[in-house]
Amino acid sequence: MGKRNHLEHTEGRDQDEKGDEMSTKKPFPSYIKNKLIRSLQYAKLKTQKKNQKKIRRKERDAVEKQAVQLGEAAPPRRVPRTIENTREYDETVARPDDDELLAEDAVDEFSAHFNSEVTPQLLITSSRWCSTMTIKFIAELLRVIPNAHYYKRGSYEIKQIVKYARNRNFTAIIIIHDNRKEPNGMLIISLPDGPTAHFKLSNFVRSKKIKGHGKPTTHLPELILNNFTTRIGHRLGRMLASLFPRQPNFRGRRVVTFHNQRDFIFFRHHRYIFEEKEEASRSSNTNKGSEKKSKKSSKVKMIARLQECGPRFTLKLISLQHGTFDSKYGEYEWVHKADMDTSRRRFFI
Amino acid sequence: MPRTSTVTPAGCPPLRVLSFDNLGLIKVIENSKKQGDLQVIARWGEPSLQRSIVSACLSSDEDSQVLAVARKNFIVDILNPSTGASCMELNARTIRGRLNSNLQEDTDASLVAVHMFRAEASGLRSVLTCTSSGDANLHLIDGIQVHEDSFGTSWPICRMGNILCMKVDKSEKYAAFGGDGIDVSLWDIQTQNRIWEAKAPPRDSNGLMSRPFVTASTFLGDDHKKLVVGTGHHQVRLYDINARRRPMIAFDFLESPIKAVEADTDGNRVYIGTGNGALASFDMRSGKMLGSYKGRISGSIRCITVHPSLPVFAACGLDRFLRVFHKNSRELLTQIFLKQPLSVNVFDTHYPAKALTADDSAEVSSVEYSDNAFLYAENEMLDSVGSKKKKKKTKESKKMKSTQDELLEVDNNIYAVSEKACKKRKAQRLEGRESHLKAHKKKKRSESST
């Protein structure tokens, strides 16, 4: 009874207000219990909102156009509020003018790499009994990272591998772990004295699966590190940078990107090219004499084109350990703990 | 609407802390307000990895204070803790002007700990240092230089393993040493004799012995009889030197190695910090945990320091933060980011006395409060242990209760401001909710009328 009354009530109101603008008093469609009517109402609401948005955008564009025509400054564009730009205040954000930061950078574990005293030599291995997917992942890594060598894991313990690699002057070890035949963890151990970063690895896409993927050359890649802002992030960025040789071969036009967004580090590998493109000229309609002139005046536009080479994957830091790998007696510089996740707007990298 | 405001810590009483870090910098951190946040007011030293600080000790007499800072490269700096002026530099490797032959050959060794003794009647002070290779060195200094015709001596603690910790008891007659592969032992400093050594714990169910791995130690109370030790096997042990060589109590704490152990001033409680940033306090009479301290600690805790008069303690470590906690309420009072991995922090115990001239009333109240707070803490602990005697409702216990209530009031006194603010916020919230309800009711009424 009550249900029907309520429905009739809303419908009746609807009919009354059909001609009017959308009123704010109208109850949400979620209160309607009949699914058919509810979905109809939803569809109506959605189209209304869409139209309104269209109108608003049109108005805004018109104002902007007018301002440009009049030679005035266009009204400032509004910036949407996102989780990143409303991030909680973080005192650990590294500032480039901080003398202590520079002092630490000059003496930390990666300073030898950044002073070009050592060239990176990587040892890549898997967990014991790894799956074929992990082997494929490692094969992709070997294509991306120069000076990387795959070693079969065998039955060696990580501490033994660390000792072995240290004696052979490797600068880092990467160990890929898997679960359910998918790679799901990455351990990066900087040598000779750490630190050790443990990442969760997800969203791995092989190059083959990327549409229109390119084949990378063997040139040394350029490196882009985005948004490593805090002290932990800075240290992590330096660690990731120390995996790649310092002097990129710009002829190769290869770029490797580590992009941090909300503590997730996205790995991408691209090839880029600058192409000259002539602007569409209207010379076809005019005669030959004017064609010459137009050729002279036609502008050559440079465009950059990007081709992804792959692979893609995402990393999330689980822990950063002081020194080389030691799960039993080791000290941590940073560990992710449950009580850190009390706010969506708090980030650590 | 997402929450955009953050919960700010309540603030700490007037304090002065010195923090020492891996780059060899000393930072002076102060809070002069009754309830405020810490601020770095001075930085001493130049950044250098060689001069990385491993240990520091503040020796304070009634009229003077001297700070000894042990650096990785065997240099011990003697400083004036109020100005940071360097009085002298001491090389821990040289004994009576000659290089110690044991230390010369060992290049991997580093300095582990330093202890500055109180001034003797002649005005001279001794400095005890300890190296990771297992040598204890005792130097006598007179403020400006190493005293020449005096005794400077060195003796071996062990010839194997690495020493990780050294602790001198309150009477400054005995020192406990322990490390990786070295079980804890107690030494008489004057005669340089070992007077007591711990016995390895019994074999486990598999018949295996665990390697001795002492990472931190501290003396309970004022004498050297009770020794609390933390191990790399995440075990806490209480030894009674008079009773036996095996621990009286031993219990596990979480799963990462214990890196810092510090006794409270009441002689029962200890604070324990681990390698992945867990911090808790234990009652060593029962071995029960009194509570853990939370404040988003993300890195290993290297050092815990208890304030001698105020009911606070400070913890610092690899996550580059210095945090001050309230002992009893377990609340994080304040934290400060100090940019470098920290190794040690030290409270300047003379600081409140200086502040007395500046702000009389505030200081007196806080001191009173702190004294009472200890009593309160003791009572509370007794309660928690649950001794049967206390359950009897005698006149005494009633009296105790009444005093306890009073003390509770006093305890709340200093944080009254924060509580008031809390109440205000609560009231506002309630008001807001009421107004919201009213509006909602009005709406309903108007709807029904239509």
Side-chain angles (χ1 to χ4, degrees), chain A residues 9 13 25 81 86 88-93 98-101 103-104 107-108 231-232 235 322 327-337 339-346 348, chain B residues 1-4 6 21 23 25 27 43 47 49 211 213 232-233 255-257 259 275-278 294-302 318-321 335 337-341:
Chain A
H9 188 69
R13 228 200 234 172
K25 279 173 193 171
R81 200 171 57 192
T86 54
E88 265 184 23
Y89 171 71
D90 193 351
E91 56 216 324
T92 70
V93 168
D98 189 356
D99 59 331
E100 278 188 45
L101 181 78
E104 200 201 340
V107 294
D108 72 352
R231 269 321 257 274
I232 290 291
R235 205 164 151 71
H322 182 70
S327 56
K328 210 171 177 187
Y329 305 117
E331 276 184 291
Y332 290 92
E333 288 179 29
W334 188 86
V335 205
H336 184 263
K337 285 183 179 174
D339 70 334
M340 294 170 175
D341 289 337
T342 47
S343 167
R344 293 206 302 151
R345 278 138 212 285
R346 188 182 302 135
F348 297 96
Chain B
M1 183 64 200
R3 185 171 64 87
T4 49
T6 48
D21 59 39
L23 275 192
L25 301 173
K27 284 173 189 156
R43 199 183 86 184
L49 203 62
R211 176 175 56 128
F213 194 175
H233 309 289
E255 285 174 349
S256 56
K259 289 286 169 188
N276 71 351
K294 290 187 175 172
R296 270 189 259 133
I297 309 171
S298 58
S300 167
I301 290 168
R302 281 278 175 91
L318 290 187
D319 69 344
R320 302 163 191 233
F321 273 95
Q335 64 178 18
F337 180 65
L338 292 171
K339 296 181 182 175
Q340 303 300 335

Side-chain angles (χ1 to χ4, degrees), chain B residues 221-253:
Chain B
D222 293 336
D223 57 357
H224 68 284
K225 303 289 184 204
K226 280 181 183 169
L227 183 63
V228 181
V229 155
T231 70
H233 309 289
H234 52 89
Q235 202 174 45
V236 183
R237 294 177 189 153
L238 169 72
Y239 289 102
D240 191 340
I241 279 110
N242 279 1
R244 59 182 188 188
R245 288 173 58 200
R246 284 218 164 115
M248 308 302 282
I249 301 175
F251 53 87
D252 284 356
F253 177 52

Side-chain angles (χ1 to χ4, degrees), chain B residues 5 68 70 94 127 165 199 214 246 287 313 338 362 367 396 399 410 416:
Chain B
S5 62
T94 53
V127 180
C165 65
K199 203 173 179 181
V214 177
R246 284 218 164 115
F313 72 92
L338 292 171
V367 166
E396 271 182 50
K399 248 187 199 173
V410 181

Side-chain angles (χ1 to χ4, degrees), chain B residues 217-349:
Chain B
S217 61
T218 184
F219 288 97
L220 272 187
D222 293 336
D223 57 357
H224 68 284
K225 303 289 184 204
K226 280 181 183 169
L227 183 63
V228 181
V229 155
T231 70
H233 309 289
H234 52 89
Q235 202 174 45
V236 183
R237 294 177 189 153
L238 169 72
Y239 289 102
D240 191 340
I241 279 110
N242 279 1
R244 59 182 188 188
R245 288 173 58 200
R246 284 218 164 115
M248 308 302 282
I249 301 175
F251 53 87
D252 284 356
F253 177 52
L254 300 181
E255 285 174 349
S256 56
I258 284 156
K259 289 286 169 188
V261 172
E262 188 65 34
D264 195 8
T265 37
D266 68 357
N268 296 322
R269 212 191 310 198
V270 290
Y271 302 98
I272 289 164
T274 71
N276 71 351
L279 183 63
S281 65
F282 282 85
D283 187 342
M284 289 318 289
R285 288 172 297 185
S286 58
K288 272 183 184 165
M289 188 161 108
L290 295 172
S292 63
Y293 295 81
K294 290 187 175 172
R296 270 189 259 133
I297 309 171
S298 58
S300 167
I301 290 168
R302 281 278 175 91
C303 179
I304 300 170
T305 322
V306 177
H307 197 279
S309 53
L310 290 167
V312 296
F313 72 92
C316 68
L318 290 187
D319 69 344
R320 302 163 191 233
F321 273 95
L322 179 92
R323 293 186 172 83
V324 178
F325 291 94
H326 193 277
K327 282 177 186 173
N328 302 325
S329 72
R330 291 192 272 116
E331 189 185 3
L332 174 70
L333 296 180
T334 182
Q335 64 178 18
I336 183 169
F337 180 65
L338 292 171
K339 296 181 182 175
Q340 303 300 335
L342 306 171
S343 47
V344 198
N345 63 294
V346 163
F347 278 114
D348 185 350
T349 45

Side-chain angles (χ1 to χ4, degrees), chain B residues 391-405:
Chain B
K391 280 183 181 173
K392 288 177 189 173
K393 281 190 177 178
T394 57
K395 277 181 187 175
E396 271 182 50
S397 71
K398 269 186 187 173
K399 248 187 199 173
M400 278 276 264
K401 224 179 183 182
S402 65
T403 50
Q404 199 175 316
D405 287 342

